[in-house]
Amino acid sequence: MVKLNKFYDLISRNATVTLTNSKLDKTYYEGSARDIPAEYDECTVEDFCMSNDGDLLFKIKVKEKAPADPLWQEGALRVHDESYHYWVKVYETGSQYGIDGGRVSKLTIKRGGETVANYDRGWDVAPVDEGTKLAMEIILHQYA
């Protein structure tokens, strides 16, 4: 794996650069190579290409960060050979806003970078399949 900062000596600091995710549906930075924010320096480059105009496109892997709020927890688990990454906001007691009246009021579950369940005081994205439902049940049991 090659980190983004390893490319800096190879490209002109005046080059136009776009940093995006591998699906090209999220842009993290667009502009001059000399102004790339330091927070992306250690990101893994999954793929890159250059346009005919010399503009560079880097597909990078960015680790998503959970909010600094102590009520938030982050974790990962495997269900049926699939990896799930999750973020959950857990309160001391259950409430009407929690999943099934429980302590979890917010929950995001991703598989392969795709959101497969999202609850924010109600279902924005209901669990998309049986594997996701099982992952959700494991998470809810952990924070019961």
Side-chain angles (χ1 to χ4, degrees):
M1 291 193 253
V2 179
K3 302 293 182 188
L4 182 63
N5 62 5
K6 297 296 182 188
F7 283 94
Y8 292 168
D9 291 337
L10 301 175
I11 59 177
S12 165
R13 298 303 268 166
N14 294 320
T16 300
V17 173
T18 301
L19 305 180
T20 184
N21 65 357
S22 61
K23 293 181 181 180
L24 301 173
D25 61 357
K26 186 171 184 178
T27 299
Y28 302 111
Y29 171 78
E30 194 165 22
S32 172
R34 72 175 158 268
D35 297 324
I36 295 173
E39 66 189 275
Y40 299 113
D41 286 354
E42 294 298 316
C43 290
T44 301
V45 176
E46 295 179 329
D47 194 11
F48 68 97
C49 62
M50 181 183 293
S51 73
N52 291 337
D53 298 327
D55 295 337
L56 296 162
L57 174 70
F58 287 94
K59 295 178 183 177
I60 60 174
K61 187 169 187 171
V62 175
K63 181 175 169 52
E64 297 187 34
K65 298 176 185 172
D69 186 330
L71 297 175
W72 281 95
Q73 301 293 317
E74 178 180 1
L77 57 106
R78 290 189 65 80
V79 175
H80 303 303
D81 295 326
E82 300 253 63
S83 294
Y84 294 87
H85 195 111
Y86 67 88
W87 296 263
V88 61
K89 189 168 189 178
V90 182
Y91 288 90
E92 289 294 320
T93 60
S95 80
Q96 65 182 350
Y97 301 111
I99 297 175
D100 297 329
R103 298 173 47 216
V104 175
S105 69
K106 297 182 183 197
L107 170 66
T108 299
I109 303 174
K110 292 189 175 193
R111 180 179 56 215
E114 177 186 348
T115 301
V116 291
N118 192 66
Y119 183 92
D120 188 349
R121 297 184 175 192
W123 287 108
D124 302 314
V125 178
V128 298
D129 55 31
E130 290 302 315
T132 303
K133 287 178 187 174
L134 183 54
M136 179 195 68
E137 292 297 325
I138 293 168
I139 295 164
L140 293 179
H141 179 73
Q142 180 178 349
Y143 297 102

